[in-house]
Amino acid sequence: MSWRWSVVLLAAGGVGANLVLWLGGERTFVTHPVSVLALALATTGATWLAGRVPAPVHGWLVALASSLAALVLLGAWASATPTPLAAGLWSVAWVPVNALLAVVGLSLAGLERWARTLAVGTAVATLAGAFLVRPVVPFAGIETAAPEAWTHVVPYVAEVLLAAWNLALVAATVAVALRARRASVVDRGRLARAAAVTSCAPCLVVCCYALAVLRSPGDVDPTAGSVAYTVAIGMLAALVAWAASSPDRVAVRVIAFTWAAAAVVLLSVGIAGPTVERQLTLGIVAVAVVTVGVLAATAAGLARYEHWSHAPAPRPVTAGVPGLSPRENDVLAAMAGGATNAAIAGELFLSERTVEQHLRSIFDKLDLGDHGGSNRRVRAAATWWQHQDSDRAAEA
């Protein structure tokens, strides 16, 4: 039996066990059919899409699918046998799933060492959390996701670990985004997609906080909020698997609008909500401003992603000039083609000041000082074309 069928069968067993518990009267958000089916579908999708990507991303997608299946199974175990051990393990089972969203993105960006470090750190934090937090009355009389349902064995340690882990997720997203910004024009579309994938990890945390403010100060039923959070886990896991396995831009757009929806809810209810209670008109205006601002930021981000994802214009280039960075070779190639600084900036999505900095670095590295009255741009372009001619001759 292949690993794919093993993961799918594990998820199917968890679905069956949870549905039996639901029909038997154990009706919590953990056994809710919507929660269970969302996780099971995400498991199946991630398992199938993992076969479409090479290593090492393949291995991380397999781990993501397996962790989703484990979340379903642990939910059934904790519901059927509500012991501190079962409920404790279930309570931290979402942590590996959340972290693996970022790990997949880091691996897709080529930051494999970062991916492994985050995975190991998450495993340690998960095991620590399972023993540092104990349920008061698991799955009985109180929503298990509510803070009052748990006690901390050692005060503040779990909070510190959680804060450090959240910062790690944000740092991972920023690292991949910066890598995309500095990358060659050939690579930055893929790296921008990797940044979107990595951002799904902090996005899930933001979704959690957004649903929390809907519960308080909002008045949404806690069970409905917990079911929605479980659905968000499955949806973002499926989006990560889709975006990691395909250059299709639709997945990235859905990720962007998921961010927008969570941000609008969090800001509108958490910040503008109290204003609505005091002054209805002012509160409505505040919600409208928040919504327009978030959507504008989302549109700007997607516009940059679309620009980065366009295939670069064909150039008569076989290889870069040795000693120059990929971005410097892009700038030099455009300049050798006759582009002005403004045109280079527009083509490479840079500021003119950044282009000037790249050109100064190119001139220094090529040792093109001002002498003899010759133009450094002309001599740099000549160096570029001479290198292309020598490469063609070597290939012939």
Side-chain angles (χ1 to χ4, degrees):
M1 182 185 298
S2 69
W3 65 266
R4 293 186 187 183
W5 282 109
S6 299
V7 174
V8 171
L9 287 176
L10 284 174
V15 170
N18 279 290
L19 291 180
V20 168
L21 289 167
W22 175 269
L23 294 174
E26 190 66 32
R27 302 199 168 190
T28 66
F29 75 92
V30 180
T31 59
H32 197 288
V34 175
S35 299
V36 173
L37 290 176
L39 294 176
L41 289 174
T43 302
T44 304
T47 302
W48 176 61
L49 292 171
R52 299 172 57 179
V53 296
V57 179
H58 168 85
W60 294 121
L61 283 181
V62 171
L64 177 61
S66 301
S67 63
L68 288 166
L71 184 58
V72 177
L73 286 168
L74 285 171
W77 178 30
S79 297
T81 311
T83 62
L85 175 62
L89 290 175
W90 174 86
S91 70
V92 295
W94 62 273
V95 177
V97 177
N98 200 336
L100 282 166
L101 304 181
V103 169
V104 171
L106 288 168
S107 182
L108 186 64
L111 298 172
E112 194 60 31
R113 182 177 297 178
W114 283 51
R116 292 174 182 171
T117 301
L118 180 58
V120 172
T122 299
V124 173
T126 302
L127 290 173
F131 294 100
L132 288 172
V133 181
R134 290 178 181 172
V136 177
V137 186
F139 304 101
I142 188 171
E143 288 301 324
T144 311
E148 58 268 28
W150 306 90
T151 58
H152 291 179
V153 177
V154 182
Y156 305 115
V157 175
E159 289 91 337
V160 171
L161 284 174
L162 184 61
W165 179 74
N166 282 326
L167 287 175
L169 298 183
V170 174
T173 303
V174 172
V176 179
L178 290 176
R179 189 179 179 90
R181 183 177 178 82
R182 297 167 182 167
S184 165
V185 66
V186 176
D187 295 326
R188 67 187 175 191
R190 173 183 59 82
L191 290 171
R193 179 162 51 92
V197 170
T198 310
S199 75
C200 285
C203 181
L204 184 55
V205 176
V206 172
C207 287
C208 179
Y209 284 119
L211 292 168
V213 298
L214 283 176
R215 177 174 180 257
S216 178
D219 194 26
V220 173
D221 176 59
T223 298
S226 298
V227 170
Y229 176 64
T230 308
V231 172
I233 293 175
M235 182 188 75
L236 285 169
L239 283 173
V240 161
W242 179 13
S245 62
S246 170
D248 191 347
R249 300 177 195 171
V250 177
V252 174
R253 293 171 189 154
V254 176
I255 292 170
F257 282 108
T258 302
W259 262 106
V264 166
V265 171
L266 183 62
L267 295 174
S268 296
V269 179
I271 298 176
T275 306
V276 174
E277 295 179 358
R278 295 192 300 267
Q279 174 57 253
L280 180 60
T281 302
L282 183 60
I284 292 174
V285 171
V287 172
V289 169
V290 166
T291 303
V292 171
V294 170
L295 290 177
T298 303
L302 283 174
R304 173 164 293 196
Y305 169 72
E306 295 290 344
H307 184 92
W308 283 2
S309 297
H310 286 159
R315 296 181 189 149
V317 176
T318 57
V321 175
L324 301 184
S325 69
R327 180 53 61 88
E328 288 169 347
N329 271 301
D330 286 335
V331 171
L332 181 56
M335 187 186 70
T340 63
N341 286 7
I344 295 172
E347 178 183 352
L348 299 182
F349 212 65
L350 301 170
S351 68
E352 288 192 50
R353 183 175 180 179
T354 302
V355 172
E356 292 172 359
Q357 291 173 347
H358 281 308
L359 287 174
R360 283 196 295 270
S361 177
I362 290 169
F363 297 151
D364 289 341
K365 289 181 178 180
L366 297 181
D367 195 22
L368 299 177
D370 288 323
H371 57 271
S374 58
N375 189 305
R376 289 189 296 176
R377 295 177 72 96
V378 173
R379 287 186 286 140
T383 301
W384 171 262
W385 287 114
Q386 287 171 4
H387 188 74
Q388 305 312 307
D389 291 339
S390 64
D391 282 345
R392 293 192 187 97
E395 290 177 0

